[in-house]
Each structure stands twice: as structure tokens, then as C-alpha cells.
PDB file of all heavy atoms in Angstrom:
ATOM      1  N   CYS G   1     -13.753  48.845  -0.103  1.00  0.00           N
ATOM      2  CA  CYS G   1     -13.608  50.270   0.147  1.00  0.00           C
ATOM      3  C   CYS G   1     -12.145  50.672  -0.022  1.00  0.00           C
ATOM      4  O   CYS G   1     -11.271  49.806  -0.144  1.00  0.00           O
ATOM      5  CB  CYS G   1     -14.086  50.614   1.563  1.00  0.00           C
ATOM      6  SG  CYS G   1     -13.119  49.855   2.891  1.00  0.00           S
ATOM      7  N   PRO G   2     -11.861  51.975  -0.034  1.00  0.00           N
ATOM      8  CA  PRO G   2     -10.460  52.386  -0.029  1.00  0.00           C
ATOM      9  C   PRO G   2      -9.765  51.877   1.225  1.00  0.00           C
ATOM     10  O   PRO G   2     -10.364  51.811   2.300  1.00  0.00           O
ATOM     11  CB  PRO G   2     -10.551  53.920  -0.036  1.00  0.00           C
ATOM     12  CG  PRO G   2     -11.899  54.223  -0.593  1.00  0.00           C
ATOM     13  CD  PRO G   2     -12.792  53.108  -0.128  1.00  0.00           C
ATOM     14  N   SER G   3      -8.516  51.518   1.087  1.00  0.00           N
ATOM     15  CA  SER G   3      -7.757  51.004   2.226  1.00  0.00           C
ATOM     16  C   SER G   3      -7.490  52.130   3.229  1.00  0.00           C
ATOM     17  O   SER G   3      -6.885  53.152   2.885  1.00  0.00           O
ATOM     18  CB  SER G   3      -6.441  50.409   1.744  1.00  0.00           C
ATOM     19  OG  SER G   3      -5.682  49.928   2.826  1.00  0.00           O
ATOM     20  N   LYS G   4      -7.972  51.955   4.451  1.00  0.00           N
ATOM     21  CA  LYS G   4      -7.790  52.951   5.501  1.00  0.00           C
ATOM     22  C   LYS G   4      -7.497  52.254   6.825  1.00  0.00           C
ATOM     23  O   LYS G   4      -8.016  51.170   7.097  1.00  0.00           O
ATOM     24  CB  LYS G   4      -9.044  53.812   5.659  1.00  0.00           C
ATOM     25  CG  LYS G   4      -9.360  54.732   4.498  1.00  0.00           C
ATOM     26  CD  LYS G   4     -10.579  55.582   4.816  1.00  0.00           C
ATOM     27  CE  LYS G   4     -10.932  56.522   3.666  1.00  0.00           C
ATOM     28  NZ  LYS G   4     -12.131  57.346   3.988  1.00  0.00           N
ATOM     29  N   ILE G   5      -6.701  52.906   7.652  1.00  0.00           N
ATOM     30  CA  ILE G   5      -6.442  52.388   8.990  1.00  0.00           C
ATOM     31  C   ILE G   5      -7.733  52.450   9.804  1.00  0.00           C
ATOM     32  O   ILE G   5      -8.440  53.457   9.797  1.00  0.00           O
ATOM     33  CB  ILE G   5      -5.333  53.205   9.680  1.00  0.00           C
ATOM     34  CG1 ILE G   5      -4.000  53.006   8.950  1.00  0.00           C
ATOM     35  CG2 ILE G   5      -5.200  52.804  11.147  1.00  0.00           C
ATOM     36  CD1 ILE G   5      -2.868  53.867   9.491  1.00  0.00           C
ATOM     37  N   GLY G   6      -8.040  51.365  10.472  1.00  0.00           N
ATOM     38  CA  GLY G   6      -9.193  51.351  11.367  1.00  0.00           C
ATOM     39  C   GLY G   6     -10.426  50.677  10.827  1.00  0.00           C
ATOM     40  O   GLY G   6     -11.405  50.510  11.559  1.00  0.00           O
ATOM     41  N   VAL G   7     -10.416  50.287   9.543  1.00  0.00           N
ATOM     42  CA  VAL G   7     -11.628  49.725   8.962  1.00  0.00           C
ATOM     43  C   VAL G   7     -11.982  48.386   9.604  1.00  0.00           C
ATOM     44  O   VAL G   7     -13.160  48.119   9.916  1.00  0.00           O
ATOM     45  CB  VAL G   7     -11.502  49.605   7.423  1.00  0.00           C
ATOM     46  CG1 VAL G   7     -10.359  48.689   7.025  1.00  0.00           C
ATOM     47  CG2 VAL G   7     -12.808  49.110   6.825  1.00  0.00           C
ATOM     48  N   VAL G   8     -10.992  47.536   9.831  1.00  0.00           N
ATOM     49  CA  VAL G   8     -11.262  46.239  10.439  1.00  0.00           C
ATOM     50  C   VAL G   8     -11.753  46.413  11.873  1.00  0.00           C
ATOM     51  O   VAL G   8     -12.710  45.747  12.310  1.00  0.00           O
ATOM     52  CB  VAL G   8     -10.006  45.339  10.404  1.00  0.00           C
ATOM     53  CG1 VAL G   8     -10.251  44.033  11.159  1.00  0.00           C
ATOM     54  CG2 VAL G   8      -9.602  45.047   8.971  1.00  0.00           C
ATOM     55  N   ALA G   9     -11.128  47.323  12.596  1.00  0.00           N
ATOM     56  CA  ALA G   9     -11.537  47.586  13.979  1.00  0.00           C
ATOM     57  C   ALA G   9     -12.970  48.099  14.041  1.00  0.00           C
ATOM     58  O   ALA G   9     -13.743  47.720  14.935  1.00  0.00           O
ATOM     59  CB  ALA G   9     -10.587  48.584  14.628  1.00  0.00           C
ATOM     60  N   ALA G  10     -13.340  48.954  13.081  1.00  0.00           N
ATOM     61  CA  ALA G  10     -14.695  49.501  13.057  1.00  0.00           C
ATOM     62  C   ALA G  10     -15.727  48.408  12.814  1.00  0.00           C
ATOM     63  O   ALA G  10     -16.786  48.386  13.458  1.00  0.00           O
ATOM     64  CB  ALA G  10     -14.795  50.593  11.993  1.00  0.00           C
ATOM     65  N   ILE G  11     -15.411  47.510  11.886  1.00  0.00           N
ATOM     66  CA  ILE G  11     -16.340  46.411  11.590  1.00  0.00           C
ATOM     67  C   ILE G  11     -16.478  45.500  12.810  1.00  0.00           C
ATOM     68  O   ILE G  11     -17.587  45.126  13.217  1.00  0.00           O
ATOM     69  CB  ILE G  11     -15.858  45.607  10.372  1.00  0.00           C
ATOM     70  CG1 ILE G  11     -15.893  46.471   9.115  1.00  0.00           C
ATOM     71  CG2 ILE G  11     -16.717  44.354  10.185  1.00  0.00           C
ATOM     72  CD1 ILE G  11     -15.243  45.827   7.901  1.00  0.00           C
ATOM     73  N   ALA G  12     -15.340  45.133  13.412  1.00  0.00           N
ATOM     74  CA  ALA G  12     -15.357  44.228  14.562  1.00  0.00           C
ATOM     75  C   ALA G  12     -16.095  44.861  15.752  1.00  0.00           C
ATOM     76  O   ALA G  12     -16.848  44.175  16.459  1.00  0.00           O
ATOM     77  CB  ALA G  12     -13.931  43.861  14.959  1.00  0.00           C
ATOM     78  N   SER G  13     -15.891  46.153  15.972  1.00  0.00           N
ATOM     79  CA  SER G  13     -16.561  46.845  17.076  1.00  0.00           C
ATOM     80  C   SER G  13     -18.067  46.854  16.869  1.00  0.00           C
ATOM     81  O   SER G  13     -18.832  46.669  17.827  1.00  0.00           O
ATOM     82  CB  SER G  13     -16.029  48.282  17.203  1.00  0.00           C
ATOM     83  OG  SER G  13     -14.664  48.278  17.564  1.00  0.00           O
ATOM     84  N   TYR G  14     -18.487  47.070  15.633  1.00  0.00           N
ATOM     85  CA  TYR G  14     -19.921  47.060  15.347  1.00  0.00           C
ATOM     86  C   TYR G  14     -20.504  45.685  15.634  1.00  0.00           C
ATOM     87  O   TYR G  14     -21.567  45.560  16.261  1.00  0.00           O
ATOM     88  CB  TYR G  14     -20.174  47.447  13.891  1.00  0.00           C
ATOM     89  CG  TYR G  14     -21.612  47.256  13.472  1.00  0.00           C
ATOM     90  CD1 TYR G  14     -22.591  48.173  13.843  1.00  0.00           C
ATOM     91  CD2 TYR G  14     -22.008  46.144  12.734  1.00  0.00           C
ATOM     92  CE1 TYR G  14     -23.917  47.984  13.490  1.00  0.00           C
ATOM     93  CE2 TYR G  14     -23.327  45.941  12.371  1.00  0.00           C
ATOM     94  CZ  TYR G  14     -24.284  46.864  12.743  1.00  0.00           C
ATOM     95  OH  TYR G  14     -25.592  46.680  12.409  1.00  0.00           O
ATOM     96  N   MET G  15     -19.821  44.645  15.168  1.00  0.00           N
ATOM     97  CA  MET G  15     -20.305  43.286  15.379  1.00  0.00           C
ATOM     98  C   MET G  15     -20.426  42.977  16.872  1.00  0.00           C
ATOM     99  O   MET G  15     -21.429  42.417  17.335  1.00  0.00           O
ATOM    100  CB  MET G  15     -19.356  42.276  14.721  1.00  0.00           C
ATOM    101  CG  MET G  15     -19.349  42.329  13.198  1.00  0.00           C
ATOM    102  SD  MET G  15     -20.909  41.735  12.508  1.00  0.00           S
ATOM    103  CE  MET G  15     -20.578  41.912  10.766  1.00  0.00           C
ATOM    104  N   ALA G  16     -19.411  43.350  17.635  1.00  0.00           N
ATOM    105  CA  ALA G  16     -19.432  43.087  19.072  1.00  0.00           C
ATOM    106  C   ALA G  16     -20.563  43.863  19.742  1.00  0.00           C
ATOM    107  O   ALA G  16     -21.267  43.334  20.620  1.00  0.00           O
ATOM    108  CB  ALA G  16     -18.088  43.462  19.690  1.00  0.00           C
ATOM    109  N   GLY G  17     -20.742  45.103  19.321  1.00  0.00           N
ATOM    110  CA  GLY G  17     -21.789  45.924  19.906  1.00  0.00           C
ATOM    111  C   GLY G  17     -23.180  45.408  19.643  1.00  0.00           C
ATOM    112  O   GLY G  17     -24.105  45.642  20.444  1.00  0.00           O
ATOM    113  N   GLU G  18     -23.350  44.709  18.532  1.00  0.00           N
ATOM    114  CA  GLU G  18     -24.658  44.147  18.187  1.00  0.00           C
ATOM    115  C   GLU G  18     -24.840  42.723  18.720  1.00  0.00           C
ATOM    116  O   GLU G  18     -25.849  42.075  18.444  1.00  0.00           O
ATOM    117  CB  GLU G  18     -24.835  44.136  16.661  1.00  0.00           C
ATOM    118  CG  GLU G  18     -24.912  45.514  16.035  1.00  0.00           C
ATOM    119  CD  GLU G  18     -26.138  46.284  16.479  1.00  0.00           C
ATOM    120  OE1 GLU G  18     -27.217  45.664  16.584  1.00  0.00           O
ATOM    121  OE2 GLU G  18     -26.023  47.500  16.754  1.00  0.00           O
ATOM    122  N   GLY G  19     -23.844  42.236  19.450  1.00  0.00           N
ATOM    123  CA  GLY G  19     -23.938  40.891  20.003  1.00  0.00           C
ATOM    124  C   GLY G  19     -23.741  39.802  18.971  1.00  0.00           C
ATOM    125  O   GLY G  19     -24.230  38.669  19.147  1.00  0.00           O
ATOM    126  N   CYS G  20     -23.032  40.114  17.887  1.00  0.00           N
ATOM    127  CA  CYS G  20     -22.815  39.150  16.808  1.00  0.00           C
ATOM    128  C   CYS G  20     -21.555  38.324  17.068  1.00  0.00           C
ATOM    129  O   CYS G  20     -20.558  38.838  17.586  1.00  0.00           O
ATOM    130  CB  CYS G  20     -22.680  39.868  15.468  1.00  0.00           C
ATOM    131  SG  CYS G  20     -24.130  40.845  15.001  1.00  0.00           S
ATOM    132  N   ASN G  21     -21.592  37.078  16.648  1.00  0.00           N
ATOM    133  CA  ASN G  21     -20.442  36.196  16.781  1.00  0.00           C
ATOM    134  C   ASN G  21     -19.865  35.909  15.405  1.00  0.00           C
ATOM    135  O   ASN G  21     -20.511  35.257  14.574  1.00  0.00           O
ATOM    136  CB  ASN G  21     -20.860  34.881  17.455  1.00  0.00           C
ATOM    137  CG  ASN G  21     -19.714  33.894  17.534  1.00  0.00           C
ATOM    138  OD1 ASN G  21     -18.575  34.267  17.806  1.00  0.00           O
ATOM    139  ND2 ASN G  21     -20.003  32.614  17.295  1.00  0.00           N
ATOM    140  N   ILE G  22     -18.661  36.424  15.123  1.00  0.00           N
ATOM    141  CA  ILE G  22     -18.014  36.207  13.832  1.00  0.00           C
ATOM    142  C   ILE G  22     -17.490  34.776  13.768  1.00  0.00           C
ATOM    143  O   ILE G  22     -16.668  34.361  14.585  1.00  0.00           O
ATOM    144  CB  ILE G  22     -16.866  37.209  13.614  1.00  0.00           C
ATOM    145  CG1 ILE G  22     -17.410  38.646  13.607  1.00  0.00           C
ATOM    146  CG2 ILE G  22     -16.136  36.914  12.299  1.00  0.00           C
ATOM    147  CD1 ILE G  22     -16.331  39.715  13.544  1.00  0.00           C
ATOM    148  N   THR G  23     -17.976  34.009  12.798  1.00  0.00           N
ATOM    149  CA  THR G  23     -17.582  32.598  12.673  1.00  0.00           C
ATOM    150  C   THR G  23     -16.534  32.362  11.591  1.00  0.00           C
ATOM    151  O   THR G  23     -15.871  31.332  11.587  1.00  0.00           O
ATOM    152  CB  THR G  23     -18.812  31.730  12.370  1.00  0.00           C
ATOM    153  OG1 THR G  23     -19.439  32.203  11.172  1.00  0.00           O
ATOM    154  CG2 THR G  23     -19.807  31.796  13.516  1.00  0.00           C
ATOM    155  N   ASP G  24     -16.403  33.301  10.662  1.00  0.00           N
ATOM    156  CA  ASP G  24     -15.415  33.167   9.579  1.00  0.00           C
ATOM    157  C   ASP G  24     -15.117  34.556   9.045  1.00  0.00           C
ATOM    158  O   ASP G  24     -16.034  35.371   8.870  1.00  0.00           O
ATOM    159  CB  ASP G  24     -15.944  32.281   8.455  1.00  0.00           C
ATOM    160  CG  ASP G  24     -14.909  32.048   7.363  1.00  0.00           C
ATOM    161  OD1 ASP G  24     -13.921  31.339   7.635  1.00  0.00           O
ATOM    162  OD2 ASP G  24     -15.079  32.589   6.259  1.00  0.00           O
ATOM    163  N   SER G  25     -13.839  34.846   8.810  1.00  0.00           N
ATOM    164  CA  SER G  25     -13.462  36.174   8.334  1.00  0.00           C
ATOM    165  C   SER G  25     -12.293  36.077   7.364  1.00  0.00           C
ATOM    166  O   SER G  25     -11.356  35.319   7.590  1.00  0.00           O
ATOM    167  CB  SER G  25     -13.073  37.073   9.517  1.00  0.00           C
ATOM    168  OG  SER G  25     -12.657  38.342   9.076  1.00  0.00           O
ATOM    169  N   ALA G  26     -12.387  36.830   6.270  1.00  0.00           N
ATOM    170  CA  ALA G  26     -11.295  36.886   5.296  1.00  0.00           C
ATOM    171  C   ALA G  26     -11.171  38.324   4.813  1.00  0.00           C
ATOM    172  O   ALA G  26     -12.186  39.026   4.642  1.00  0.00           O
ATOM    173  CB  ALA G  26     -11.567  35.955   4.121  1.00  0.00           C
ATOM    174  N   GLN G  27      -9.956  38.770   4.583  1.00  0.00           N
ATOM    175  CA  GLN G  27      -9.743  40.137   4.105  1.00  0.00           C
ATOM    176  C   GLN G  27      -8.518  40.203   3.208  1.00  0.00           C
ATOM    177  O   GLN G  27      -7.623  39.354   3.279  1.00  0.00           O
ATOM    178  CB  GLN G  27      -9.579  41.083   5.291  1.00  0.00           C
ATOM    179  CG  GLN G  27      -8.339  40.812   6.131  1.00  0.00           C
ATOM    180  CD  GLN G  27      -8.333  41.606   7.421  1.00  0.00           C
ATOM    181  OE1 GLN G  27      -9.217  41.445   8.276  1.00  0.00           O
ATOM    182  NE2 GLN G  27      -7.337  42.479   7.567  1.00  0.00           N
ATOM    183  N   PHE G  28      -8.502  41.201   2.343  1.00  0.00           N
ATOM    184  CA  PHE G  28      -7.369  41.401   1.438  1.00  0.00           C
ATOM    185  C   PHE G  28      -7.204  42.893   1.188  1.00  0.00           C
ATOM    186  O   PHE G  28      -8.163  43.586   0.827  1.00  0.00           O
ATOM    187  CB  PHE G  28      -7.589  40.684   0.111  1.00  0.00           C
ATOM    188  CG  PHE G  28      -6.503  40.936  -0.903  1.00  0.00           C
ATOM    189  CD1 PHE G  28      -5.219  40.466  -0.699  1.00  0.00           C
ATOM    190  CD2 PHE G  28      -6.764  41.667  -2.052  1.00  0.00           C
ATOM    191  CE1 PHE G  28      -4.207  40.702  -1.627  1.00  0.00           C
ATOM    192  CE2 PHE G  28      -5.760  41.909  -2.983  1.00  0.00           C
ATOM    193  CZ  PHE G  28      -4.477  41.423  -2.775  1.00  0.00           C
ATOM    194  N   ASP G  29      -5.989  43.367   1.379  1.00  0.00           N
ATOM    195  CA  ASP G  29      -5.655  44.767   1.151  1.00  0.00           C
ATOM    196  C   ASP G  29      -4.758  44.825  -0.083  1.00  0.00           C
ATOM    197  O   ASP G  29      -3.615  44.370  -0.051  1.00  0.00           O
ATOM    198  CB  ASP G  29      -4.911  45.322   2.376  1.00  0.00           C
ATOM    199  CG  ASP G  29      -4.957  46.832   2.447  1.00  0.00           C
ATOM    200  OD1 ASP G  29      -5.160  47.459   1.388  1.00  0.00           O
ATOM    201  OD2 ASP G  29      -4.796  47.390   3.549  1.00  0.00           O
ATOM    202  N   ASP G  30      -5.301  45.334  -1.205  1.00  0.00           N
ATOM    203  CA  ASP G  30      -4.550  45.403  -2.456  1.00  0.00           C
ATOM    204  C   ASP G  30      -3.659  46.637  -2.433  1.00  0.00           C
ATOM    205  O   ASP G  30      -4.126  47.766  -2.567  1.00  0.00           O
ATOM    206  CB  ASP G  30      -5.512  45.459  -3.651  1.00  0.00           C
ATOM    207  CG  ASP G  30      -4.806  45.258  -4.983  1.00  0.00           C
ATOM    208  OD1 ASP G  30      -3.620  45.619  -5.087  1.00  0.00           O
ATOM    209  OD2 ASP G  30      -5.441  44.747  -5.922  1.00  0.00           O
ATOM    210  N   MET G  31      -2.367  46.418  -2.269  1.00  0.00           N
ATOM    211  CA  MET G  31      -1.421  47.531  -2.157  1.00  0.00           C
ATOM    212  C   MET G  31      -1.273  48.294  -3.462  1.00  0.00           C
ATOM    213  O   MET G  31      -0.850  49.450  -3.471  1.00  0.00           O
ATOM    214  CB  MET G  31      -0.055  47.002  -1.707  1.00  0.00           C
ATOM    215  CG  MET G  31      -0.098  46.219  -0.405  1.00  0.00           C
ATOM    216  SD  MET G  31      -0.697  47.208   0.989  1.00  0.00           S
ATOM    217  CE  MET G  31       0.680  48.343   1.189  1.00  0.00           C
ATOM    218  N   ILE G  32      -1.601  47.672  -4.589  1.00  0.00           N
ATOM    219  CA  ILE G  32      -1.452  48.328  -5.891  1.00  0.00           C
ATOM    220  C   ILE G  32      -2.630  49.256  -6.172  1.00  0.00           C
ATOM    221  O   ILE G  32      -2.450  50.414  -6.566  1.00  0.00           O
ATOM    222  CB  ILE G  32      -1.318  47.277  -7.008  1.00  0.00           C
ATOM    223  CG1 ILE G  32      -0.043  46.452  -6.798  1.00  0.00           C
ATOM    224  CG2 ILE G  32      -1.314  47.950  -8.384  1.00  0.00           C
ATOM    225  CD1 ILE G  32       0.129  45.325  -7.787  1.00  0.00           C
ATOM    226  N   THR G  33      -3.837  48.758  -5.968  1.00  0.00           N
ATOM    227  CA  THR G  33      -5.029  49.568  -6.261  1.00  0.00           C
ATOM    228  C   THR G  33      -5.480  50.402  -5.074  1.00  0.00           C
ATOM    229  O   THR G  33      -6.301  51.309  -5.223  1.00  0.00           O
ATOM    230  CB  THR G  33      -6.198  48.679  -6.702  1.00  0.00           C
ATOM    231  OG1 THR G  33      -6.580  47.824  -5.606  1.00  0.00           O
ATOM    232  CG2 THR G  33      -5.806  47.826  -7.892  1.00  0.00           C
ATOM    233  N   GLY G  34      -4.986  50.071  -3.885  1.00  0.00           N
ATOM    234  CA  GLY G  34      -5.405  50.799  -2.699  1.00  0.00           C
ATOM    235  C   GLY G  34      -6.809  50.455  -2.251  1.00  0.00           C
ATOM    236  O   GLY G  34      -7.442  51.230  -1.529  1.00  0.00           O
ATOM    237  N   LYS G  35      -7.287  49.263  -2.634  1.00  0.00           N
ATOM    238  CA  LYS G  35      -8.626  48.846  -2.250  1.00  0.00           C
ATOM    239  C   LYS G  35      -8.566  47.735  -1.204  1.00  0.00           C
ATOM    240  O   LYS G  35      -7.647  46.903  -1.206  1.00  0.00           O
ATOM    241  CB  LYS G  35      -9.419  48.377  -3.468  1.00  0.00           C
ATOM    242  CG  LYS G  35      -9.735  49.471  -4.473  1.00  0.00           C
ATOM    243  CD  LYS G  35     -10.760  49.004  -5.499  1.00  0.00           C
ATOM    244  CE  LYS G  35     -12.127  48.817  -4.874  1.00  0.00           C
ATOM    245  NZ  LYS G  35     -13.164  48.463  -5.882  1.00  0.00           N
ATOM    246  N   PHE G  36      -9.574  47.739  -0.352  1.00  0.00           N
ATOM    247  CA  PHE G  36      -9.675  46.760   0.716  1.00  0.00           C
ATOM    248  C   PHE G  36     -10.929  45.924   0.494  1.00  0.00           C
ATOM    249  O   PHE G  36     -12.004  46.454   0.166  1.00  0.00           O
ATOM    250  CB  PHE G  36      -9.754  47.472   2.063  1.00  0.00           C
ATOM    251  CG  PHE G  36     -10.037  46.561   3.225  1.00  0.00           C
ATOM    252  CD1 PHE G  36      -9.012  45.852   3.839  1.00  0.00           C
ATOM    253  CD2 PHE G  36     -11.329  46.421   3.722  1.00  0.00           C
ATOM    254  CE1 PHE G  36      -9.273  45.007   4.910  1.00  0.00           C
ATOM    255  CE2 PHE G  36     -11.599  45.590   4.789  1.00  0.00           C
ATOM    256  CZ  PHE G  36     -10.569  44.879   5.392  1.00  0.00           C
ATOM    257  N   PHE G  37     -10.807  44.614   0.675  1.00  0.00           N
ATOM    258  CA  PHE G  37     -11.923  43.692   0.500  1.00  0.00           C
ATOM    259  C   PHE G  37     -12.041  42.830   1.755  1.00  0.00           C
ATOM    260  O   PHE G  37     -11.033  42.403   2.320  1.00  0.00           O
ATOM    261  CB  PHE G  37     -11.706  42.785  -0.714  1.00  0.00           C
ATOM    262  CG  PHE G  37     -11.512  43.525  -2.006  1.00  0.00           C
ATOM    263  CD1 PHE G  37     -10.255  43.964  -2.395  1.00  0.00           C
ATOM    264  CD2 PHE G  37     -12.590  43.784  -2.842  1.00  0.00           C
ATOM    265  CE1 PHE G  37     -10.070  44.645  -3.586  1.00  0.00           C
ATOM    266  CE2 PHE G  37     -12.421  44.460  -4.041  1.00  0.00           C
ATOM    267  CZ  PHE G  37     -11.159  44.893  -4.408  1.00  0.00           C
ATOM    268  N   ALA G  38     -13.295  42.550   2.146  1.00  0.00           N
ATOM    269  CA  ALA G  38     -13.496  41.692   3.310  1.00  0.00           C
ATOM    270  C   ALA G  38     -14.816  40.946   3.193  1.00  0.00           C
ATOM    271  O   ALA G  38     -15.771  41.428   2.573  1.00  0.00           O
ATOM    272  CB  ALA G  38     -13.479  42.511   4.600  1.00  0.00           C
ATOM    273  N   ARG G  39     -14.840  39.759   3.787  1.00  0.00           N
ATOM    274  CA  ARG G  39     -16.055  38.953   3.886  1.00  0.00           C
ATOM    275  C   ARG G  39     -16.107  38.331   5.270  1.00  0.00           C
ATOM    276  O   ARG G  39     -15.139  37.698   5.709  1.00  0.00           O
ATOM    277  CB  ARG G  39     -16.062  37.839   2.829  1.00  0.00           C
ATOM    278  CG  ARG G  39     -17.285  36.922   2.895  1.00  0.00           C
ATOM    279  CD  ARG G  39     -17.091  35.681   2.051  1.00  0.00           C
ATOM    280  NE  ARG G  39     -18.274  34.822   2.036  1.00  0.00           N
ATOM    281  CZ  ARG G  39     -18.584  33.936   2.982  1.00  0.00           C
ATOM    282  NH1 ARG G  39     -17.774  33.797   4.035  1.00  0.00           N
ATOM    283  NH2 ARG G  39     -19.676  33.197   2.888  1.00  0.00           N
ATOM    284  N   LEU G  40     -17.230  38.517   5.951  1.00  0.00           N
ATOM    285  CA  LEU G  40     -17.387  37.984   7.284  1.00  0.00           C
ATOM    286  C   LEU G  40     -18.680  37.174   7.373  1.00  0.00           C
ATOM    287  O   LEU G  40     -19.739  37.641   6.943  1.00  0.00           O
ATOM    288  CB  LEU G  40     -17.446  39.100   8.338  1.00  0.00           C
ATOM    289  CG  LEU G  40     -16.187  39.928   8.580  1.00  0.00           C
ATOM    290  CD1 LEU G  40     -16.140  41.093   7.599  1.00  0.00           C
ATOM    291  CD2 LEU G  40     -16.156  40.453  10.011  1.00  0.00           C
ATOM    292  N   SER G  41     -18.584  35.974   7.925  1.00  0.00           N
ATOM    293  CA  SER G  41     -19.766  35.190   8.288  1.00  0.00           C
ATOM    294  C   SER G  41     -19.981  35.384   9.787  1.00  0.00           C
ATOM    295  O   SER G  41     -19.018  35.356  10.565  1.00  0.00           O
ATOM    296  CB  SER G  41     -19.553  33.704   7.986  1.00  0.00           C
ATOM    297  OG  SER G  41     -19.351  33.487   6.612  1.00  0.00           O
ATOM    298  N   PHE G  42     -21.235  35.562  10.193  1.00  0.00           N
ATOM    299  CA  PHE G  42     -21.479  35.788  11.612  1.00  0.00           C
ATOM    300  C   PHE G  42     -22.883  35.340  12.001  1.00  0.00           C
ATOM    301  O   PHE G  42     -23.779  35.225  11.167  1.00  0.00           O
ATOM    302  CB  PHE G  42     -21.279  37.266  11.975  1.00  0.00           C
ATOM    303  CG  PHE G  42     -22.209  38.226  11.282  1.00  0.00           C
ATOM    304  CD1 PHE G  42     -23.375  38.663  11.900  1.00  0.00           C
ATOM    305  CD2 PHE G  42     -21.917  38.712  10.020  1.00  0.00           C
ATOM    306  CE1 PHE G  42     -24.227  39.546  11.267  1.00  0.00           C
ATOM    307  CE2 PHE G  42     -22.769  39.598   9.374  1.00  0.00           C
ATOM    308  CZ  PHE G  42     -23.931  40.020  10.005  1.00  0.00           C
ATOM    309  N   GLU G  43     -23.031  35.082  13.290  1.00  0.00           N
ATOM    310  CA  GLU G  43     -24.318  34.746  13.875  1.00  0.00           C
ATOM    311  C   GLU G  43     -24.824  35.937  14.658  1.00  0.00           C
ATOM    312  O   GLU G  43     -24.046  36.604  15.356  1.00  0.00           O
ATOM    313  CB  GLU G  43     -24.177  33.533  14.799  1.00  0.00           C
ATOM    314  CG  GLU G  43     -23.713  32.273  14.078  1.00  0.00           C
ATOM    315  CD  GLU G  43     -23.401  31.131  15.024  1.00  0.00           C
ATOM    316  OE1 GLU G  43     -23.099  31.422  16.199  1.00  0.00           O
ATOM    317  OE2 GLU G  43     -23.457  29.965  14.584  1.00  0.00           O
ATOM    318  N   ALA G  44     -26.120  36.213  14.529  1.00  0.00           N
ATOM    319  CA  ALA G  44     -26.698  37.380  15.179  1.00  0.00           C
ATOM    320  C   ALA G  44     -27.955  36.967  15.931  1.00  0.00           C
ATOM    321  O   ALA G  44     -29.058  37.003  15.381  1.00  0.00           O
ATOM    322  CB  ALA G  44     -27.013  38.463  14.146  1.00  0.00           C
ATOM    323  N   PRO G  45     -27.822  36.574  17.201  1.00  0.00           N
ATOM    324  CA  PRO G  45     -28.980  36.063  17.946  1.00  0.00           C
ATOM    325  C   PRO G  45     -30.078  37.088  18.182  1.00  0.00           C
ATOM    326  O   PRO G  45     -31.244  36.722  18.334  1.00  0.00           O
ATOM    327  CB  PRO G  45     -28.365  35.601  19.269  1.00  0.00           C
ATOM    328  CG  PRO G  45     -27.079  36.346  19.385  1.00  0.00           C
ATOM    329  CD  PRO G  45     -26.586  36.525  17.987  1.00  0.00           C
ATOM    330  N   GLU G  46     -29.729  38.376  18.193  1.00  0.00           N
ATOM    331  CA  GLU G  46     -30.723  39.404  18.489  1.00  0.00           C
ATOM    332  C   GLU G  46     -31.139  40.192  17.253  1.00  0.00           C
ATOM    333  O   GLU G  46     -31.882  41.160  17.349  1.00  0.00           O
ATOM    334  CB  GLU G  46     -30.182  40.361  19.554  1.00  0.00           C
ATOM    335  CG  GLU G  46     -29.867  39.666  20.880  1.00  0.00           C
ATOM    336  CD  GLU G  46     -29.325  40.621  21.913  1.00  0.00           C
ATOM    337  OE1 GLU G  46     -29.295  41.838  21.633  1.00  0.00           O
ATOM    338  OE2 GLU G  46     -28.946  40.155  22.998  1.00  0.00           O
TER     339      GLU G  46
END
């Protein structure tokens, strides 16, 4: 997505709210293109 303040917090808040456990996370903010990339592995018991 476009790089914006708060995107990581929004994703993490959603995961916590759903009772998900993030087991692996990687992200990259491309300062040249202004694009943000992320990949998260997580467990979701519910």
C-alpha cells in the first residue's frame, strides 16, 4: 500500500483484537516509490 503513518499499528491492533499470535513479521518502506510492503505469519486459534 502507499506508505502512511499508522499502517503497522492498524495491522497489529487488528491481529490482537482477533486473538491472533504473530509468529513472524517483515516489512519494507520504499522511500523512493512511496510504497509499503509487509508479510506476517500468525496463528489464529479462533
Side-chain angles (χ1 to χ4, degrees):
C1 64
S3 179
K4 292 183 180 180
I5 294 175
V7 61
V8 175
I11 295 171
S13 295
Y14 171 78
M15 292 291 180
E18 294 295 320
C20 300
N21 176 40
I22 298 174
T23 57
D24 184 70
S25 178
Q27 65 190 62
F28 176 67
D29 200 337
D30 191 331
M31 304 299 291
I32 297 176
T33 65
K35 293 192 69 176
F36 173 83
F37 302 87
R39 178 193 183 278
L40 293 87
S41 298
F42 62 96
E43 298 172 336
E46 299 180 6

